[in-house]
Amino acid sequence: MVGPYRGLFDGPGVKGFVLAGFVGRMPMSMLGIGIVLLVSGLTESYATAGAVAATTNLSFAVAAPMSGRLVDRFGQTRVIAPFASLNALALAALMLSAGLRLPEWTLYAAALLVGATSLSLGSMVRARWSALHGGSPRLHTAFAFESVVDEVIFVTGPALVTVLATEINPFAGLAVALVCMLGGSLALAGQRSTQPPVQPVRGGGGTPILIPGVALLACVYLGLGAVFGSVDLITVAFAEEHGVKGAAGFLLAAFAGGSMVSGLWFGSRHWRISLRGRFLRALAVFVAGLTPLTFIGAPWVMAGFLFLAGLAISPTLITGFSLTERLVPPSLLTEGMAWISTSIGFGVALGAWAGGRLTESVGASDAYLFALAAALFAALVGAAGSGLLRLPEAASPAES
């Protein structure tokens, strides 16, 4: 399983942008829970804390494609530095507003700016891989590695920010997130040799979401985002219902751990099945993996089944980004990948809201049915529109 990853990082500058991208992306799993812990601790209102965190998520989801377009038009270096600086100031303003007990609207204003200036560094790192290995089977392995990196971040980030905020200082979690974002982003911006060249825009440019295949992928990933958002919230409630609230982190780590394992395995394989075929199979496996959750009453049994359900996450993300890389023109690549992140972001917000409402009304176990329904929606939409995902016969970096 390790063999295909050997030599992946040997090129000039590769280790640098991979490390910078990892550090700079850490806040994507730290901001939400960090804001909730800080604001709820200072205001004693989970409703306010959740609303402020949701404002950040939704603002990012709306703004990510626009910042992606700026990156495609002007290059990563020229866009990252000003956005990262504004993002650091906005996050500092949010912490200051909370600490000084300023009017509540200042929290929402700062959160709005935090989300709007957050960059999709994952899309930028994948764009660098595309520039480096475009037309090579190694791109499939590189995308698999990035999916594993995302899962590592989502396993370690929430635990780190929780320990910092509860054991050291309520501001410590967000302060570390700010340092990681600014340091990683500026380090990535400084690596000019590996950034993708700015491609000329032809025919007025357009936007990737108007490409039928990309629009279909966006709908699919809206459903998958709803799975992620609902499972996170419902699992915390499930652990609390069974008197083991402290085990919620372990249960969610099992879900992400399944994705890490499958990502490493999936990226090590040379596939004969088409990208479209792999994508549809991964969606079907996701539906099958989520089906048993509503019938499980023991937390440690749930951990095992969450691990199994998580096995489908990385393959769906890897194939989705690979399909996007093939469907959009090079001049719109970063924006195209940002649309996938945006769709997931909207789905996460929807899933968290629906999961919370259903958990309060029917209990955590039955609320898992929403996650299953969202996965089924994604699979049905993907299957119904699969013809839009047919790719040209030209050599593909992800077709091996």
Side-chain angles (χ1 to χ4, degrees), residues 365-397:
S365 292
D366 288 341
Y368 277 117
L369 285 172
F370 174 82
L372 175 60
L376 187 60
F377 165 82
L380 291 176
V381 169
S386 62
L388 300 175
L389 302 178
R390 293 185 185 276
L391 300 172
E393 294 298 326
S396 166

Short mmCIF file of all heavy atoms in Angstrom, two decimals, residues 365-397:
data_model
loop_
_atom_site.label_atom_id
_atom_site.label_comp_id
_atom_site.label_asym_id
_atom_site.label_seq_id
_atom_site.Cartn_x
_atom_site.Cartn_y
_atom_site.Cartn_z
N SER A 365 -30.43 7.95 17.63
CA SER A 365 -30.39 6.76 16.77
C SER A 365 -31.27 6.93 15.54
O SER A 365 -30.85 6.64 14.41
CB SER A 365 -30.83 5.52 17.57
OG SER A 365 -29.86 5.21 18.56
N ASP A 366 -32.50 7.38 15.73
CA ASP A 366 -33.40 7.58 14.59
C ASP A 366 -32.94 8.74 13.71
O ASP A 366 -33.21 8.76 12.50
CB ASP A 366 -34.83 7.83 15.08
CG ASP A 366 -35.47 6.58 15.63
OD1 ASP A 366 -34.99 5.48 15.32
OD2 ASP A 366 -36.44 6.71 16.41
N ALA A 367 -32.24 9.71 14.29
CA ALA A 367 -31.77 10.85 13.50
C ALA A 367 -30.73 10.43 12.46
O ALA A 367 -30.55 11.12 11.45
CB ALA A 367 -31.18 11.92 14.42
N TYR A 368 -30.06 9.30 12.69
CA TYR A 368 -29.11 8.80 11.69
C TYR A 368 -29.80 8.50 10.35
O TYR A 368 -29.14 8.40 9.32
CB TYR A 368 -28.41 7.54 12.18
CG TYR A 368 -27.22 7.81 13.09
CD1 TYR A 368 -27.22 7.37 14.41
CD2 TYR A 368 -26.09 8.48 12.61
CE1 TYR A 368 -26.13 7.60 15.24
CE2 TYR A 368 -25.00 8.71 13.44
CZ TYR A 368 -25.03 8.27 14.75
OH TYR A 368 -23.94 8.51 15.57
N LEU A 369 -31.11 8.35 10.38
CA LEU A 369 -31.84 8.12 9.13
C LEU A 369 -31.68 9.31 8.18
O LEU A 369 -31.72 9.14 6.96
CB LEU A 369 -33.32 7.87 9.42
CG LEU A 369 -33.67 6.49 10.00
CD1 LEU A 369 -35.13 6.45 10.43
CD2 LEU A 369 -33.37 5.39 8.98
N PHE A 370 -31.52 10.51 8.74
CA PHE A 370 -31.30 11.67 7.87
C PHE A 370 -29.99 11.53 7.13
O PHE A 370 -29.91 11.83 5.92
CB PHE A 370 -31.30 12.97 8.68
CG PHE A 370 -30.93 14.17 7.85
CD1 PHE A 370 -31.88 14.81 7.07
CD2 PHE A 370 -29.62 14.65 7.83
CE1 PHE A 370 -31.53 15.90 6.27
CE2 PHE A 370 -29.27 15.74 7.05
CZ PHE A 370 -30.23 16.37 6.27
N ALA A 371 -28.92 11.08 7.81
CA ALA A 371 -27.63 10.89 7.15
C ALA A 371 -27.76 9.85 6.04
O ALA A 371 -27.20 10.03 4.94
CB ALA A 371 -26.58 10.45 8.17
N LEU A 372 -28.49 8.78 6.31
CA LEU A 372 -28.71 7.76 5.28
C LEU A 372 -29.48 8.34 4.10
O LEU A 372 -29.14 8.08 2.94
CB LEU A 372 -29.47 6.58 5.89
CG LEU A 372 -29.88 5.48 4.91
CD1 LEU A 372 -28.66 4.87 4.24
CD2 LEU A 372 -30.69 4.40 5.64
N ALA A 373 -30.52 9.14 4.39
CA ALA A 373 -31.31 9.75 3.30
C ALA A 373 -30.45 10.70 2.47
O ALA A 373 -30.57 10.74 1.24
CB ALA A 373 -32.51 10.50 3.89
N ALA A 374 -29.57 11.46 3.11
CA ALA A 374 -28.69 12.37 2.38
C ALA A 374 -27.72 11.61 1.49
O ALA A 374 -27.47 12.00 0.34
CB ALA A 374 -27.92 13.26 3.36
N ALA A 375 -27.19 10.50 2.00
CA ALA A 375 -26.29 9.67 1.18
C ALA A 375 -27.04 9.04 0.02
O ALA A 375 -26.51 8.95 -1.11
CB ALA A 375 -25.65 8.59 2.04
N LEU A 376 -28.27 8.62 0.27
CA LEU A 376 -29.08 8.03 -0.80
C LEU A 376 -29.40 9.08 -1.86
O LEU A 376 -29.36 8.79 -3.07
CB LEU A 376 -30.37 7.46 -0.21
CG LEU A 376 -31.27 6.66 -1.16
CD1 LEU A 376 -30.53 5.47 -1.72
CD2 LEU A 376 -32.54 6.21 -0.43
N PHE A 377 -29.69 10.30 -1.44
CA PHE A 377 -29.91 11.40 -2.38
C PHE A 377 -28.68 11.60 -3.26
O PHE A 377 -28.78 11.71 -4.49
CB PHE A 377 -30.23 12.68 -1.62
CG PHE A 377 -30.12 13.94 -2.43
CD1 PHE A 377 -31.17 14.34 -3.26
CD2 PHE A 377 -28.97 14.72 -2.40
CE1 PHE A 377 -31.08 15.50 -4.02
CE2 PHE A 377 -28.86 15.88 -3.15
CZ PHE A 377 -29.92 16.27 -3.97
N ALA A 378 -27.50 11.63 -2.64
CA ALA A 378 -26.26 11.83 -3.40
C ALA A 378 -26.05 10.71 -4.41
O ALA A 378 -25.68 10.96 -5.57
CB ALA A 378 -25.07 11.92 -2.45
N ALA A 379 -26.30 9.47 -3.98
CA ALA A 379 -26.08 8.33 -4.87
C ALA A 379 -27.08 8.34 -6.04
O ALA A 379 -26.70 8.05 -7.19
CB ALA A 379 -26.21 7.03 -4.08
N LEU A 380 -28.34 8.67 -5.75
CA LEU A 380 -29.35 8.68 -6.81
C LEU A 380 -29.09 9.80 -7.82
O LEU A 380 -29.22 9.60 -9.03
CB LEU A 380 -30.74 8.83 -6.20
CG LEU A 380 -31.25 7.62 -5.41
CD1 LEU A 380 -32.59 7.94 -4.76
CD2 LEU A 380 -31.36 6.40 -6.31
N VAL A 381 -28.70 10.99 -7.32
CA VAL A 381 -28.39 12.09 -8.23
C VAL A 381 -27.18 11.73 -9.09
O VAL A 381 -27.16 11.96 -10.30
CB VAL A 381 -28.12 13.38 -7.43
CG1 VAL A 381 -27.54 14.47 -8.33
CG2 VAL A 381 -29.41 13.87 -6.79
N GLY A 382 -26.15 11.15 -8.46
CA GLY A 382 -24.97 10.75 -9.21
C GLY A 382 -25.28 9.72 -10.27
O GLY A 382 -24.80 9.81 -11.40
N ALA A 383 -26.10 8.72 -9.93
CA ALA A 383 -26.45 7.68 -10.89
C ALA A 383 -27.31 8.23 -12.02
O ALA A 383 -27.10 7.92 -13.20
CB ALA A 383 -27.16 6.54 -10.18
N ALA A 384 -28.30 9.08 -11.66
CA ALA A 384 -29.20 9.63 -12.68
C ALA A 384 -28.46 10.51 -13.68
O ALA A 384 -28.79 10.54 -14.86
CB ALA A 384 -30.32 10.41 -12.01
N GLY A 385 -27.46 11.26 -13.22
CA GLY A 385 -26.75 12.16 -14.11
C GLY A 385 -25.38 11.67 -14.52
O GLY A 385 -24.55 12.46 -14.99
N SER A 386 -25.13 10.38 -14.35
CA SER A 386 -23.79 9.85 -14.58
C SER A 386 -23.30 10.07 -16.01
O SER A 386 -22.10 10.12 -16.26
CB SER A 386 -23.73 8.36 -14.23
OG SER A 386 -24.61 7.62 -15.06
N GLY A 387 -24.24 10.20 -16.95
CA GLY A 387 -23.83 10.46 -18.33
C GLY A 387 -23.07 11.76 -18.48
O GLY A 387 -22.25 11.91 -19.39
N LEU A 388 -23.33 12.72 -17.58
CA LEU A 388 -22.62 14.00 -17.64
C LEU A 388 -21.17 13.88 -17.18
O LEU A 388 -20.39 14.82 -17.36
CB LEU A 388 -23.34 15.04 -16.77
CG LEU A 388 -24.79 15.35 -17.13
CD1 LEU A 388 -25.40 16.30 -16.11
CD2 LEU A 388 -24.86 15.96 -18.53
N LEU A 389 -20.82 12.75 -16.59
CA LEU A 389 -19.48 12.55 -16.06
C LEU A 389 -18.61 11.71 -17.00
O LEU A 389 -17.49 11.35 -16.63
CB LEU A 389 -19.54 11.88 -14.68
CG LEU A 389 -20.34 12.62 -13.61
CD1 LEU A 389 -20.37 11.82 -12.31
CD2 LEU A 389 -19.76 14.00 -13.37
N ARG A 390 -19.12 11.40 -18.17
CA ARG A 390 -18.31 10.66 -19.13
C ARG A 390 -17.18 11.57 -19.60
O ARG A 390 -17.41 12.73 -19.95
CB ARG A 390 -19.14 10.21 -20.33
CG ARG A 390 -20.19 9.18 -19.97
CD ARG A 390 -20.91 8.67 -21.20
NE ARG A 390 -21.98 7.77 -20.87
CZ ARG A 390 -21.81 6.46 -20.63
NH1 ARG A 390 -20.60 5.93 -20.69
NH2 ARG A 390 -22.84 5.70 -20.31
N LEU A 391 -15.98 11.04 -19.62
CA LEU A 391 -14.79 11.82 -19.94
C LEU A 391 -14.28 11.48 -21.32
O LEU A 391 -14.53 10.38 -21.85
CB LEU A 391 -13.69 11.57 -18.91
CG LEU A 391 -14.05 11.94 -17.47
CD1 LEU A 391 -12.97 11.48 -16.53
CD2 LEU A 391 -14.26 13.43 -17.35
N PRO A 392 -13.53 12.38 -21.94
CA PRO A 392 -12.94 12.09 -23.25
C PRO A 392 -12.00 10.90 -23.16
O PRO A 392 -11.54 10.52 -22.08
CB PRO A 392 -12.16 13.37 -23.59
CG PRO A 392 -12.72 14.41 -22.70
CD PRO A 392 -13.20 13.72 -21.47
N GLU A 393 -11.69 10.34 -24.29
CA GLU A 393 -10.84 9.16 -24.31
C GLU A 393 -9.36 9.50 -24.14
O GLU A 393 -8.52 8.62 -24.11
CB GLU A 393 -11.01 8.41 -25.65
CG GLU A 393 -12.41 7.82 -25.81
CD GLU A 393 -12.72 6.80 -24.73
OE1 GLU A 393 -11.81 6.09 -24.31
OE2 GLU A 393 -13.88 6.76 -24.30
N ALA A 394 -9.04 10.79 -24.05
CA ALA A 394 -7.65 11.20 -23.91
C ALA A 394 -7.07 10.63 -22.62
O ALA A 394 -7.78 10.34 -21.66
CB ALA A 394 -7.53 12.72 -23.89
N ALA A 395 -5.75 10.48 -22.59
CA ALA A 395 -5.07 9.93 -21.43
C ALA A 395 -5.40 10.76 -20.19
O ALA A 395 -5.39 11.97 -20.23
CB ALA A 395 -3.56 9.92 -21.64
N SER A 396 -5.70 10.06 -19.13
CA SER A 396 -6.09 10.74 -17.89
C SER A 396 -5.14 10.37 -16.77
O SER A 396 -4.78 9.22 -16.62
CB SER A 396 -7.51 10.35 -17.49
OG SER A 396 -7.77 10.74 -16.17
N PRO A 397 -4.74 11.33 -15.97
CA PRO A 397 -3.88 11.01 -14.85
C PRO A 397 -4.54 10.18 -13.80
O PRO A 397 -3.91 9.57 -12.97
CB PRO A 397 -3.54 12.41 -14.28
CG PRO A 397 -4.64 13.28 -14.72
CD PRO A 397 -5.08 12.76 -16.04
#
